Amino acid sequence: MPSVVVVGTQWGDEGKGKYVDLLSGRVHVVVRYGGGHNAGHTVVVDGQTFILHIVPSGILHPGVTSVIGNGCVVDPDAFMTEVQMLRGLEIEVGANLFVSDRAHLILPYHRLQEEREEDKLGNRRIGTTCRGIGPAYEDKIGRRGLRVGDLRHPDFLKEKLDYIVREKAEQLGIASDAPKLLAECEELLKRFTAEALTHISDTSLLVHESILAGKNVLFEGAQATLLDIDHGTYPFVTSSNPVAGGACTGAGVSPKAIDHILGITKAYITRVGEGPLPTEMLGELGETIREKGAEFGASTGRPRRCGWFDSVVVRYANRINGLDALAITKLDVLDSLDEIQVCTHYDYHGERIQEFPGELSILEECKPVYRTLPGWETPTAGLERVADLPKNARAYLEALEELCGAPVEMVSTGPERHSTIEDMGTSGKSVLDSWFGEPKKNPAA
Ligand code: GDP
């Protein structure tokens, strides 16, 4: 039975949440393999909108096991708030949710640390969500982090926390506040332990055994390729590895365990926070797309910068991730445009650049070179069949395929589960049917 990685191919917010939700109906286990509660997946089910930050969207499907993998960092408050929110909506959260014993904890001092660092950077700030995620990863790499599994050993936890909080308070220049900060952390962890203890597990083993038992597993990335700590636009990146390879380290599975990789790609491009965006639409057009596409951060409400489709970016994402298929989102947002630009390559001081550059100083000077395509000026919102797509919309999708080097197998035409064209492939069959077989009523049965 297959395992599939869902990965963002641009700067995030591609609409992964919708596809993960769609695929969750076909799998037994959904695993988040990286990031913290800065990821905001928006899922619309029967007209109801769910915004999930840390709990995998598999939780919305009865009978599916949801896993927060070892590659994630977990904020106890965010976890508890989200679990309460889900229960309040009568969604089951119990033996269907597991948190890796090896995932790292985000604690109140991480937030203080991040705010301090962003302030110090002034106009060179990264534009992070200031939720303590970066500093928690720093502590992980610095080998001084606290892990979820430590909650099972209260004496060890107390001793380590006591030491770390004093160190942190000193670094932050608030040494006299250390007892207050310690009490805050202890109180938080006490509440979290009561809630989380039954969910803690060796999730790498759980996933391994699920695969051996022939179950379908979905690995859900947070953020996206261009925000990857290694492969993204450093330093305007996240602190983990959202790329498909990150699924192996962040979930604790072998590369051999991955069968398919699905790249989620917006029909245009957006980016939140700082950093270069070569195809940025400035002025009125950018505003129009932002409004139409509701391009405001699911986690922070920050307006996203919008741009034309950049095939240099998605070609690069194809290479780094090894995409089997592209799943396009938000095609409907472009419905009213009479002309659409697609960036084919960059011009860097007269030099033709086809491959995404590693250095920010080069990227900043790259000018996009566009191919202009006619718009379709016909509503596509809610379409479910390729045959119903306007000719120019199909030509647009074919151009993306050609430029990115990966087949477009699915197209999303609205936020709802059913607003999805699945019969894009040449076989006329849904790629999901060929990966997973025909859908079962209850995949857990
Ligand atoms: P994610 O983090 O990659 O899941 O992206 P977000 O959840 O932040 O952004 C996706 C937003 O776009 C959500 O509000 C979705 O409901 C919405 N969305 C997803 N697919 C489509 C689509 O095809 N068309 C439109 N109009 N909205 C979509």
Side-chain angles (χ1 to χ4, degrees), residues 31 51 69 124 127 145 148 172 202 211 215 230 239 276 299-300 331 334 344 381 398 401 422 437:
V31 190
I51 298 183
R124 287 177 22 254
V148 171
L172 288 163
D202 179 345
I211 292 172
K215 295 186 174 173
D230 287 286
S239 306
S299 273
T300 59
L331 186 73
L334 305 180
T344 54
E398 280 162 16
E401 275 187 342
E422 289 190 32

mmCIF file with all atom_site columns, all heavy atoms in Angstrom, residues 31 51 69 124 127 145 148 172 202 211 215 230 239 276 299-300 331 334 344 381 398 401 422 437:
data_model
loop_
_atom_site.group_PDB
_atom_site.id
_atom_site.type_symbol
_atom_site.label_atom_id
_atom_site.label_alt_id
_atom_site.label_comp_id
_atom_site.label_asym_id
_atom_site.label_entity_id
_atom_site.label_seq_id
_atom_site.pdbx_PDB_ins_code
_atom_site.Cartn_x
_atom_site.Cartn_y
_atom_site.Cartn_z
_atom_site.occupancy
_atom_site.B_iso_or_equiv
_atom_site.pdbx_formal_charge
_atom_site.auth_seq_id
_atom_site.auth_comp_id
_atom_site.auth_asym_id
_atom_site.auth_atom_id
_atom_site.pdbx_PDB_model_num
ATOM 1   N N   . VAL A 1 31  ? 0.903   11.910 8.645   1.00 0.00 ? 31  VAL A N   1
ATOM 2   C CA  . VAL A 1 31  ? 2.035   12.301 9.498   1.00 0.00 ? 31  VAL A CA  1
ATOM 3   C C   . VAL A 1 31  ? 2.509   13.700 9.133   1.00 0.00 ? 31  VAL A C   1
ATOM 4   O O   . VAL A 1 31  ? 2.845   13.965 7.977   1.00 0.00 ? 31  VAL A O   1
ATOM 5   C CB  . VAL A 1 31  ? 3.241   11.338 9.297   1.00 0.00 ? 31  VAL A CB  1
ATOM 6   C CG1 . VAL A 1 31  ? 4.307   11.585 10.349  1.00 0.00 ? 31  VAL A CG1 1
ATOM 7   C CG2 . VAL A 1 31  ? 2.801   9.888  9.289   1.00 0.00 ? 31  VAL A CG2 1
ATOM 8   N N   . ILE A 1 51  ? -9.115  25.779 10.671  1.00 0.00 ? 51  ILE A N   1
ATOM 9   C CA  . ILE A 1 51  ? -7.716  26.188 10.494  1.00 0.00 ? 51  ILE A CA  1
ATOM 10  C C   . ILE A 1 51  ? -6.892  25.378 11.487  1.00 0.00 ? 51  ILE A C   1
ATOM 11  O O   . ILE A 1 51  ? -7.095  25.476 12.696  1.00 0.00 ? 51  ILE A O   1
ATOM 12  C CB  . ILE A 1 51  ? -7.528  27.701 10.698  1.00 0.00 ? 51  ILE A CB  1
ATOM 13  C CG1 . ILE A 1 51  ? -8.356  28.460 9.642   1.00 0.00 ? 51  ILE A CG1 1
ATOM 14  C CG2 . ILE A 1 51  ? -6.059  28.081 10.563  1.00 0.00 ? 51  ILE A CG2 1
ATOM 15  C CD1 . ILE A 1 51  ? -8.214  29.965 9.667   1.00 0.00 ? 51  ILE A CD1 1
ATOM 16  N N   . GLY A 1 69  ? 5.120   14.209 13.917  1.00 0.00 ? 69  GLY A N   1
ATOM 17  C CA  . GLY A 1 69  ? 6.379   13.473 13.865  1.00 0.00 ? 69  GLY A CA  1
ATOM 18  C C   . GLY A 1 69  ? 7.509   14.119 14.650  1.00 0.00 ? 69  GLY A C   1
ATOM 19  O O   . GLY A 1 69  ? 7.409   15.253 15.121  1.00 0.00 ? 69  GLY A O   1
ATOM 20  N N   . ARG A 1 124 ? 16.321  44.313 8.730   1.00 0.00 ? 124 ARG A N   1
ATOM 21  C CA  . ARG A 1 124 ? 16.821  43.057 8.139   1.00 0.00 ? 124 ARG A CA  1
ATOM 22  C C   . ARG A 1 124 ? 16.100  41.848 8.738   1.00 0.00 ? 124 ARG A C   1
ATOM 23  O O   . ARG A 1 124 ? 16.502  40.712 8.603   1.00 0.00 ? 124 ARG A O   1
ATOM 24  C CB  . ARG A 1 124 ? 18.331  42.941 8.359   1.00 0.00 ? 124 ARG A CB  1
ATOM 25  C CG  . ARG A 1 124 ? 19.105  43.892 7.457   1.00 0.00 ? 124 ARG A CG  1
ATOM 26  C CD  . ARG A 1 124 ? 20.624  43.892 7.670   1.00 0.00 ? 124 ARG A CD  1
ATOM 27  N NE  . ARG A 1 124 ? 21.185  42.706 8.291   1.00 0.00 ? 124 ARG A NE  1
ATOM 28  C CZ  . ARG A 1 124 ? 21.611  42.662 9.553   1.00 0.00 ? 124 ARG A CZ  1
ATOM 29  N NH1 . ARG A 1 124 ? 21.519  43.714 10.340  1.00 0.00 ? 124 ARG A NH1 1
ATOM 30  N NH2 . ARG A 1 124 ? 22.138  41.560 10.029  1.00 0.00 ? 124 ARG A NH2 1
ATOM 31  N N   . GLY A 1 127 ? 11.061  38.272 9.371   1.00 0.00 ? 127 GLY A N   1
ATOM 32  C CA  . GLY A 1 127 ? 9.607   38.277 9.201   1.00 0.00 ? 127 GLY A CA  1
ATOM 33  C C   . GLY A 1 127 ? 8.999   36.982 9.695   1.00 0.00 ? 127 GLY A C   1
ATOM 34  O O   . GLY A 1 127 ? 8.073   36.445 9.094   1.00 0.00 ? 127 GLY A O   1
ATOM 35  N N   . GLY A 1 145 ? 17.722  21.049 23.819  1.00 0.00 ? 145 GLY A N   1
ATOM 36  C CA  . GLY A 1 145 ? 16.259  21.125 23.780  1.00 0.00 ? 145 GLY A CA  1
ATOM 37  C C   . GLY A 1 145 ? 15.598  20.147 24.732  1.00 0.00 ? 145 GLY A C   1
ATOM 38  O O   . GLY A 1 145 ? 16.204  19.171 25.165  1.00 0.00 ? 145 GLY A O   1
ATOM 39  N N   . VAL A 1 148 ? 9.381   15.984 23.844  1.00 0.00 ? 148 VAL A N   1
ATOM 40  C CA  . VAL A 1 148 ? 8.066   15.571 24.347  1.00 0.00 ? 148 VAL A CA  1
ATOM 41  C C   . VAL A 1 148 ? 8.203   14.349 25.265  1.00 0.00 ? 148 VAL A C   1
ATOM 42  O O   . VAL A 1 148 ? 7.561   14.263 26.311  1.00 0.00 ? 148 VAL A O   1
ATOM 43  C CB  . VAL A 1 148 ? 7.110   15.305 23.154  1.00 0.00 ? 148 VAL A CB  1
ATOM 44  C CG1 . VAL A 1 148 ? 5.824   14.659 23.611  1.00 0.00 ? 148 VAL A CG1 1
ATOM 45  C CG2 . VAL A 1 148 ? 6.814   16.619 22.419  1.00 0.00 ? 148 VAL A CG2 1
ATOM 46  N N   . LEU A 1 172 ? 18.864  36.579 28.050  1.00 0.00 ? 172 LEU A N   1
ATOM 47  C CA  . LEU A 1 172 ? 17.873  37.580 27.656  1.00 0.00 ? 172 LEU A CA  1
ATOM 48  C C   . LEU A 1 172 ? 17.975  38.859 28.484  1.00 0.00 ? 172 LEU A C   1
ATOM 49  O O   . LEU A 1 172 ? 17.212  39.806 28.281  1.00 0.00 ? 172 LEU A O   1
ATOM 50  C CB  . LEU A 1 172 ? 16.456  36.998 27.805  1.00 0.00 ? 172 LEU A CB  1
ATOM 51  C CG  . LEU A 1 172 ? 16.047  35.938 26.780  1.00 0.00 ? 172 LEU A CG  1
ATOM 52  C CD1 . LEU A 1 172 ? 14.833  35.156 27.248  1.00 0.00 ? 172 LEU A CD1 1
ATOM 53  C CD2 . LEU A 1 172 ? 15.750  36.594 25.432  1.00 0.00 ? 172 LEU A CD2 1
ATOM 54  N N   . ASP A 1 202 ? 6.408   6.361  20.236  1.00 0.00 ? 202 ASP A N   1
ATOM 55  C CA  . ASP A 1 202 ? 7.521   6.231  19.296  1.00 0.00 ? 202 ASP A CA  1
ATOM 56  C C   . ASP A 1 202 ? 6.870   6.193  17.911  1.00 0.00 ? 202 ASP A C   1
ATOM 57  O O   . ASP A 1 202 ? 6.530   5.132  17.390  1.00 0.00 ? 202 ASP A O   1
ATOM 58  C CB  . ASP A 1 202 ? 8.287   4.935  19.595  1.00 0.00 ? 202 ASP A CB  1
ATOM 59  C CG  . ASP A 1 202 ? 9.450   4.731  18.641  1.00 0.00 ? 202 ASP A CG  1
ATOM 60  O OD1 . ASP A 1 202 ? 9.501   5.423  17.589  1.00 0.00 ? 202 ASP A OD1 1
ATOM 61  O OD2 . ASP A 1 202 ? 10.304  3.880  18.933  1.00 0.00 ? 202 ASP A OD2 1
ATOM 62  N N   . ILE A 1 211 ? 3.185   0.834  7.766   1.00 0.00 ? 211 ILE A N   1
ATOM 63  C CA  . ILE A 1 211 ? 3.585   0.526  6.384   1.00 0.00 ? 211 ILE A CA  1
ATOM 64  C C   . ILE A 1 211 ? 3.697   -0.997 6.207   1.00 0.00 ? 211 ILE A C   1
ATOM 65  O O   . ILE A 1 211 ? 3.191   -1.569 5.239   1.00 0.00 ? 211 ILE A O   1
ATOM 66  C CB  . ILE A 1 211 ? 4.902   1.252  6.023   1.00 0.00 ? 211 ILE A CB  1
ATOM 67  C CG1 . ILE A 1 211 ? 4.653   2.771  5.954   1.00 0.00 ? 211 ILE A CG1 1
ATOM 68  C CG2 . ILE A 1 211 ? 5.468   0.755  4.692   1.00 0.00 ? 211 ILE A CG2 1
ATOM 69  C CD1 . ILE A 1 211 ? 5.886   3.627  5.806   1.00 0.00 ? 211 ILE A CD1 1
ATOM 70  N N   . LYS A 1 215 ? -0.754  -0.431 5.333   1.00 0.00 ? 215 LYS A N   1
ATOM 71  C CA  . LYS A 1 215 ? -1.632  0.747  5.391   1.00 0.00 ? 215 LYS A CA  1
ATOM 72  C C   . LYS A 1 215 ? -1.129  1.863  4.474   1.00 0.00 ? 215 LYS A C   1
ATOM 73  O O   . LYS A 1 215 ? 0.063   1.935  4.182   1.00 0.00 ? 215 LYS A O   1
ATOM 74  C CB  . LYS A 1 215 ? -1.712  1.245  6.835   1.00 0.00 ? 215 LYS A CB  1
ATOM 75  C CG  . LYS A 1 215 ? -2.387  0.200  7.722   1.00 0.00 ? 215 LYS A CG  1
ATOM 76  C CD  . LYS A 1 215 ? -2.611  0.705  9.104   1.00 0.00 ? 215 LYS A CD  1
ATOM 77  C CE  . LYS A 1 215 ? -3.420  -0.326 9.881   1.00 0.00 ? 215 LYS A CE  1
ATOM 78  N NZ  . LYS A 1 215 ? -3.547  0.029  11.280  1.00 0.00 ? 215 LYS A NZ  1
ATOM 79  N N   . ASP A 1 230 ? 17.749  24.484 4.049   1.00 0.00 ? 230 ASP A N   1
ATOM 80  C CA  . ASP A 1 230 ? 18.900  24.244 3.166   1.00 0.00 ? 230 ASP A CA  1
ATOM 81  C C   . ASP A 1 230 ? 18.663  24.732 1.752   1.00 0.00 ? 230 ASP A C   1
ATOM 82  O O   . ASP A 1 230 ? 19.560  25.276 1.121   1.00 0.00 ? 230 ASP A O   1
ATOM 83  C CB  . ASP A 1 230 ? 19.207  22.740 3.104   1.00 0.00 ? 230 ASP A CB  1
ATOM 84  C CG  . ASP A 1 230 ? 19.828  22.238 4.383   1.00 0.00 ? 230 ASP A CG  1
ATOM 85  O OD1 . ASP A 1 230 ? 21.010  22.533 4.596   1.00 0.00 ? 230 ASP A OD1 1
ATOM 86  O OD2 . ASP A 1 230 ? 19.131  21.595 5.186   1.00 0.00 ? 230 ASP A OD2 1
ATOM 87  N N   . SER A 1 239 ? 12.909  26.967 9.853   1.00 0.00 ? 239 SER A N   1
ATOM 88  C CA  . SER A 1 239 ? 14.070  26.355 10.511  1.00 0.00 ? 239 SER A CA  1
ATOM 89  C C   . SER A 1 239 ? 14.131  24.853 10.334  1.00 0.00 ? 239 SER A C   1
ATOM 90  O O   . SER A 1 239 ? 14.877  24.176 11.030  1.00 0.00 ? 239 SER A O   1
ATOM 91  C CB  . SER A 1 239 ? 14.037  26.677 12.001  1.00 0.00 ? 239 SER A CB  1
ATOM 92  O OG  . SER A 1 239 ? 13.939  28.058 12.177  1.00 0.00 ? 239 SER A OG  1
ATOM 93  N N   . PRO A 1 276 ? 13.308  38.118 -1.385  1.00 0.00 ? 276 PRO A N   1
ATOM 94  C CA  . PRO A 1 276 ? 12.992  38.416 -2.784  1.00 0.00 ? 276 PRO A CA  1
ATOM 95  C C   . PRO A 1 276 ? 11.847  37.575 -3.347  1.00 0.00 ? 276 PRO A C   1
ATOM 96  O O   . PRO A 1 276 ? 11.677  36.412 -2.977  1.00 0.00 ? 276 PRO A O   1
ATOM 97  C CB  . PRO A 1 276 ? 14.291  38.107 -3.536  1.00 0.00 ? 276 PRO A CB  1
ATOM 98  C CG  . PRO A 1 276 ? 15.174  37.402 -2.588  1.00 0.00 ? 276 PRO A CG  1
ATOM 99  C CD  . PRO A 1 276 ? 14.647  37.542 -1.206  1.00 0.00 ? 276 PRO A CD  1
ATOM 100 N N   . SER A 1 299 ? -2.222  31.851 9.730   1.00 0.00 ? 299 SER A N   1
ATOM 101 C CA  . SER A 1 299 ? -1.743  31.867 11.109  1.00 0.00 ? 299 SER A CA  1
ATOM 102 C C   . SER A 1 299 ? -1.741  33.278 11.681  1.00 0.00 ? 299 SER A C   1
ATOM 103 O O   . SER A 1 299 ? -2.018  33.484 12.849  1.00 0.00 ? 299 SER A O   1
ATOM 104 C CB  . SER A 1 299 ? -0.310  31.331 11.184  1.00 0.00 ? 299 SER A CB  1
ATOM 105 O OG  . SER A 1 299 ? -0.321  29.945 11.302  1.00 0.00 ? 299 SER A OG  1
ATOM 106 N N   . THR A 1 300 ? -1.402  34.258 10.851  1.00 0.00 ? 300 THR A N   1
ATOM 107 C CA  . THR A 1 300 ? -1.147  35.589 11.405  1.00 0.00 ? 300 THR A CA  1
ATOM 108 C C   . THR A 1 300 ? -2.041  36.664 10.800  1.00 0.00 ? 300 THR A C   1
ATOM 109 O O   . THR A 1 300 ? -2.057  37.789 11.289  1.00 0.00 ? 300 THR A O   1
ATOM 110 C CB  . THR A 1 300 ? 0.313   36.009 11.091  1.00 0.00 ? 300 THR A CB  1
ATOM 111 O OG1 . THR A 1 300 ? 0.457   35.993 9.673   1.00 0.00 ? 300 THR A OG1 1
ATOM 112 C CG2 . THR A 1 300 ? 1.312   35.060 11.716  1.00 0.00 ? 300 THR A CG2 1
ATOM 113 N N   . LEU A 1 331 ? -6.760  27.921 -9.407  1.00 0.00 ? 331 LEU A N   1
ATOM 114 C CA  . LEU A 1 331 ? -6.862  28.317 -10.811 1.00 0.00 ? 331 LEU A CA  1
ATOM 115 C C   . LEU A 1 331 ? -7.950  29.378 -10.966 1.00 0.00 ? 331 LEU A C   1
ATOM 116 O O   . LEU A 1 331 ? -7.808  30.337 -11.729 1.00 0.00 ? 331 LEU A O   1
ATOM 117 C CB  . LEU A 1 331 ? -7.202  27.090 -11.674 1.00 0.00 ? 331 LEU A CB  1
ATOM 118 C CG  . LEU A 1 331 ? -7.191  27.345 -13.166 1.00 0.00 ? 331 LEU A CG  1
ATOM 119 C CD1 . LEU A 1 331 ? -5.756  27.493 -13.675 1.00 0.00 ? 331 LEU A CD1 1
ATOM 120 C CD2 . LEU A 1 331 ? -7.902  26.253 -13.937 1.00 0.00 ? 331 LEU A CD2 1
ATOM 121 N N   . LEU A 1 334 ? -7.552  33.260 -11.144 1.00 0.00 ? 334 LEU A N   1
ATOM 122 C CA  . LEU A 1 334 ? -7.083  33.948 -12.361 1.00 0.00 ? 334 LEU A CA  1
ATOM 123 C C   . LEU A 1 334 ? -8.195  34.136 -13.396 1.00 0.00 ? 334 LEU A C   1
ATOM 124 O O   . LEU A 1 334 ? -7.947  34.698 -14.475 1.00 0.00 ? 334 LEU A O   1
ATOM 125 C CB  . LEU A 1 334 ? -5.919  33.165 -12.991 1.00 0.00 ? 334 LEU A CB  1
ATOM 126 C CG  . LEU A 1 334 ? -4.720  32.868 -12.085 1.00 0.00 ? 334 LEU A CG  1
ATOM 127 C CD1 . LEU A 1 334 ? -3.658  32.093 -12.847 1.00 0.00 ? 334 LEU A CD1 1
ATOM 128 C CD2 . LEU A 1 334 ? -4.110  34.155 -11.523 1.00 0.00 ? 334 LEU A CD2 1
ATOM 129 N N   . THR A 1 344 ? 9.459   32.291 -17.445 1.00 0.00 ? 344 THR A N   1
ATOM 130 C CA  . THR A 1 344 ? 10.110  31.091 -18.001 1.00 0.00 ? 344 THR A CA  1
ATOM 131 C C   . THR A 1 344 ? 11.550  30.952 -17.483 1.00 0.00 ? 344 THR A C   1
ATOM 132 O O   . THR A 1 344 ? 12.051  29.862 -17.293 1.00 0.00 ? 344 THR A O   1
ATOM 133 C CB  . THR A 1 344 ? 10.151  31.171 -19.541 1.00 0.00 ? 344 THR A CB  1
ATOM 134 O OG1 . THR A 1 344 ? 10.770  32.418 -19.896 1.00 0.00 ? 344 THR A OG1 1
ATOM 135 C CG2 . THR A 1 344 ? 8.747   31.112 -20.131 1.00 0.00 ? 344 THR A CG2 1
ATOM 136 N N   . ALA A 1 381 ? -14.508 28.408 -11.247 1.00 0.00 ? 381 ALA A N   1
ATOM 137 C CA  . ALA A 1 381 ? -14.748 28.084 -9.828  1.00 0.00 ? 381 ALA A CA  1
ATOM 138 C C   . ALA A 1 381 ? -15.720 26.918 -9.718  1.00 0.00 ? 381 ALA A C   1
ATOM 139 O O   . ALA A 1 381 ? -16.784 26.923 -10.333 1.00 0.00 ? 381 ALA A O   1
ATOM 140 C CB  . ALA A 1 381 ? -15.297 29.312 -9.110  1.00 0.00 ? 381 ALA A CB  1
ATOM 141 N N   . GLU A 1 398 ? -1.024  23.358 -19.516 1.00 0.00 ? 398 GLU A N   1
ATOM 142 C CA  . GLU A 1 398 ? -0.044  22.636 -20.349 1.00 0.00 ? 398 GLU A CA  1
ATOM 143 C C   . GLU A 1 398 ? 1.293   23.376 -20.365 1.00 0.00 ? 398 GLU A C   1
ATOM 144 O O   . GLU A 1 398 ? 2.351   22.761 -20.333 1.00 0.00 ? 398 GLU A O   1
ATOM 145 C CB  . GLU A 1 398 ? -0.573  22.460 -21.778 1.00 0.00 ? 398 GLU A CB  1
ATOM 146 C CG  . GLU A 1 398 ? -1.565  21.309 -21.867 1.00 0.00 ? 398 GLU A CG  1
ATOM 147 C CD  . GLU A 1 398 ? -2.434  21.356 -23.124 1.00 0.00 ? 398 GLU A CD  1
ATOM 148 O OE1 . GLU A 1 398 ? -2.083  22.083 -24.074 1.00 0.00 ? 398 GLU A OE1 1
ATOM 149 O OE2 . GLU A 1 398 ? -3.478  20.671 -23.134 1.00 0.00 ? 398 GLU A OE2 1
ATOM 150 N N   . GLU A 1 401 ? 3.073   22.594 -17.164 1.00 0.00 ? 401 GLU A N   1
ATOM 151 C CA  . GLU A 1 401 ? 3.649   21.235 -17.232 1.00 0.00 ? 401 GLU A CA  1
ATOM 152 C C   . GLU A 1 401 ? 4.960   21.241 -17.991 1.00 0.00 ? 401 GLU A C   1
ATOM 153 O O   . GLU A 1 401 ? 5.963   20.701 -17.531 1.00 0.00 ? 401 GLU A O   1
ATOM 154 C CB  . GLU A 1 401 ? 2.710   20.310 -18.014 1.00 0.00 ? 401 GLU A CB  1
ATOM 155 C CG  . GLU A 1 401 ? 1.631   19.704 -17.209 1.00 0.00 ? 401 GLU A CG  1
ATOM 156 C CD  . GLU A 1 401 ? 0.854   18.653 -18.025 1.00 0.00 ? 401 GLU A CD  1
ATOM 157 O OE1 . GLU A 1 401 ? 0.917   18.627 -19.263 1.00 0.00 ? 401 GLU A OE1 1
ATOM 158 O OE2 . GLU A 1 401 ? 0.183   17.870 -17.386 1.00 0.00 ? 401 GLU A OE2 1
ATOM 159 N N   . GLU A 1 422 ? -9.887  15.944 -10.973 1.00 0.00 ? 422 GLU A N   1
ATOM 160 C CA  . GLU A 1 422 ? -8.963  14.822 -10.742 1.00 0.00 ? 422 GLU A CA  1
ATOM 161 C C   . GLU A 1 422 ? -8.640  14.061 -12.010 1.00 0.00 ? 422 GLU A C   1
ATOM 162 O O   . GLU A 1 422 ? -7.728  13.249 -12.028 1.00 0.00 ? 422 GLU A O   1
ATOM 163 C CB  . GLU A 1 422 ? -9.548  13.857 -9.697  1.00 0.00 ? 422 GLU A CB  1
ATOM 164 C CG  . GLU A 1 422 ? -9.551  14.418 -8.292  1.00 0.00 ? 422 GLU A CG  1
ATOM 165 C CD  . GLU A 1 422 ? -9.894  13.363 -7.245  1.00 0.00 ? 422 GLU A CD  1
ATOM 166 O OE1 . GLU A 1 422 ? -9.552  12.191 -7.439  1.00 0.00 ? 422 GLU A OE1 1
ATOM 167 O OE2 . GLU A 1 422 ? -10.516 13.735 -6.236  1.00 0.00 ? 422 GLU A OE2 1
ATOM 168 N N   . GLY A 1 437 ? -5.742  3.037  -5.490  1.00 0.00 ? 437 GLY A N   1
ATOM 169 C CA  . GLY A 1 437 ? -6.868  2.162  -5.836  1.00 0.00 ? 437 GLY A CA  1
ATOM 170 C C   . GLY A 1 437 ? -8.149  2.947  -5.635  1.00 0.00 ? 437 GLY A C   1
ATOM 171 O O   . GLY A 1 437 ? -8.135  4.092  -5.169  1.00 0.00 ? 437 GLY A O   1
#
